[in-house]
Amino acid sequence: MIRTVLTKPYTDQKPGTSGLRKKVPVFQQEHYAENFIQSIFDALEGFEGKTLVIGGDGRFYNREVIQKAIAMAAANGFGKVMVGQGGILSTPAASNIIRKYKTFGGIILSASHNPGGPHEDFGIKYNAGNGGPAPEKITDAIFEKTKTISSFKITDIGQIDIDTIGTVQAGGMTVEIIDPVKDYAELMESLFDFDAIRANFKYGFRMRFDAMHAVTGPYAKEILERRLGAPNGTCRNFKPLPDFGGHHPDPNLVHAKHLYDEMMGPDAPDFGAASDGDGDRNLIIGKGIFVTPSDSVAMLAANAHLAPGYKEGLKGIARSMPTSGAADRVAEKLGIGIYETPTGWKFFGNLLDAGMATICGEESAGTGSNHVREKDGLWAVLLWLNILAVRGESCKDIVTKHWETYGRNYYSRHDYEEVETDRANKLVDELRAKLGALPGTSVRGMTIASADDFAYHDPVDGSVSKNQGIRILFEGGSRVVFRLSGTGTSGATLRVYIERYEPDKARHDLDTQEALADLIAAADDIAGIKSHTGRNKPSVIT
């Protein structure tokens, strides 16, 4: 029943920070998906007879690739696969399944917050036995295998019914179709004070959760409405669709503007939130106030002790380098470690496994803790609900009191999407070439204190990751960071991060873009953004 199929390598299968992402028509090329899946297996050892988790975010082409992955797992010697019903398994839920059932690893089919559909994005990534994204040594090995692959193994088992919960035997392997929500919901109930949150809803607390027709819909519906008693209709767009309803499942102020407008309106609910394509990102908006992802990480860390799962305190906080320094001030006050890592959740894994960090976060709306090894959008929403219920204050009051205590980090990210790759690379190359000459110079009346290309020295395994983002630090604590993103599928995305620290509470109510105006102009002066990209303004401002 096992067939060995001859194939030829593709030259473009280098995984990014979150696996391999391409347009659907690319994955639909002959043997393209099979080549990458086989390369994953070829890069691994010791999985004979072990269990593999398989699931995805429900986007277009998800079901087809799941069938391929099941058949190939059987041919390559796995003893069992656990598949989310309907092919649905959020990224944090998949991480939980891997950890809870001590499986060998998992294949997650998603392109995260990118659009879905016949001509949109698709992705495949491998998560290791700790539940986290494969470390670079594994992704590098996978890429090397893709360069030389000449055949793949597949079992002729026909179509597996992935819509019915239960267990079947196929190709000498056990295939278990599991409830994708149950284990995750139980984990959340063990971490948070569901009684306090339930009481808050009972006494009239109102919220809006937008699942964006993506994977968190079934999870939010079960947890928020069924288990916590939020009114029916609290969750919107909760049915996962292959094209996310024709929308972009990225929970930011552009693609979730309708939620922002509702939360700023006269009859706004008390709390608003959203999550992305695969359920690992979050958007937090209080009544009359948007909470930046960087601030959210800091505020969750400062109040985490109010939730049962974190009542003993935190071991440490980790943040990606582009994320604002707001969490640093919380860590300092709590007397715990703060760790600055490159972008990519996989860099948090070592810190979490070593017990050095409890809460981690990224400015790109990814927040999580040591409960899984992925960022977790719904977890962040539930921790906010726990804090709001216990403190009995509005989201806006919690935010403003936090700023009064720690100071405010004015922060914004400017994305220039789908820039011609050569032009984007030229901008970065020219900027790198003049880093040594920038310290001591003045731009827009501000003196540059230092300039470097961030390199990360992992405190756990000693590995070094270089060229992780260009930092321009000014006297007084302001900074600008430039980074090319690896999560898109066409062209390059230039991300520019601008930050200014303001300790004076009398100056905490400024408009963010106005507060950062001089730094925004300085960023263009230093890097020549407009001249290199041909753009007069960013595609997205967060």
Side-chain angles (χ1 to χ4, degrees), residues 352-497:
L352 293 168
D353 287 343
M356 297 171 69
T358 306
I359 284 182
C360 306
E362 297 180 327
E363 52 70 38
S364 54
T367 323
S369 83
N370 57 354
H371 69 291
V372 291
R373 293 298 181 268
E374 289 278 6
K375 47 188 179 253
D376 189 346
L378 198 49
W379 170 90
V381 174
L382 290 167
L383 182 48
W384 265 105
L385 288 174
N386 194 139
I387 293 165
L388 290 163
V390 173
R391 286 186 56 165
E393 298 172 286
S394 71
C395 182
K396 191 169 188 176
D397 285 344
I398 289 172
V399 171
T400 54
K401 288 180 180 179
H402 183 94
W403 289 340
E404 289 174 5
T405 302
Y406 298 97
R408 181 176 181 182
N409 290 70
Y410 282 100
Y411 181 90
S412 185
R413 187 180 92 188
H414 290 197
D415 289 358
Y416 297 81
E417 297 177 340
E418 297 186 356
V419 178
E420 291 179 28
T421 303
D422 289 345
R423 297 181 74 165
N425 287 334
K426 185 178 180 182
L427 181 153
V428 171
D429 290 343
E430 290 184 3
L431 188 53
R432 279 198 181 111
K434 62 182 181 183
L435 286 178
L438 288 176
T441 61
S442 182
V443 184
R444 303 271 171 166
M446 299 173 292
T447 301
I448 297 175
S450 64
D452 65 9
D453 200 344
F454 178 62
Y456 177 61
H457 298 261
D458 192 306
V460 178
D461 64 15
S463 63
V464 178
S465 300
K466 298 181 179 180
N467 301 325
Q468 295 297 318
I470 295 173
R471 303 186 295 183
I472 312 296
L473 285 75
F474 296 88
E475 292 182 357
S478 297
R479 66 171 186 159
V480 177
V481 175
F482 301 86
R483 180 176 164 271
L484 292 183
S485 171
T487 59
T489 59
S490 59
T493 296
L494 172 68
R495 303 199 195 281
V496 184
Y497 311 84

Side-chain angles (χ1 to χ4, degrees), residues 90 180-181 184-185 188 194 201 207-212 214-240 273-275 279 376-379 381-382 385:
S90 79
V181 177
Y184 178 85
M188 294 300 104
F194 271 33
F201 280 122
M207 81 169 288
R208 182 77 63 235
F209 182 85
D210 188 350
M212 305 187 85
V215 78
T216 47
Y219 297 85
K221 195 77 173 170
E222 171 65 26
I223 295 171
L224 296 176
E225 294 187 8
R226 297 193 185 105
R227 300 199 181 201
L228 290 172
N232 187 42
T234 294
C235 300
R236 290 183 176 175
N237 303 319
F238 56 83
K239 183 179 180 180
S275 190
D376 189 346
L378 198 49
W379 170 90
V381 174
L382 290 167
L385 288 174

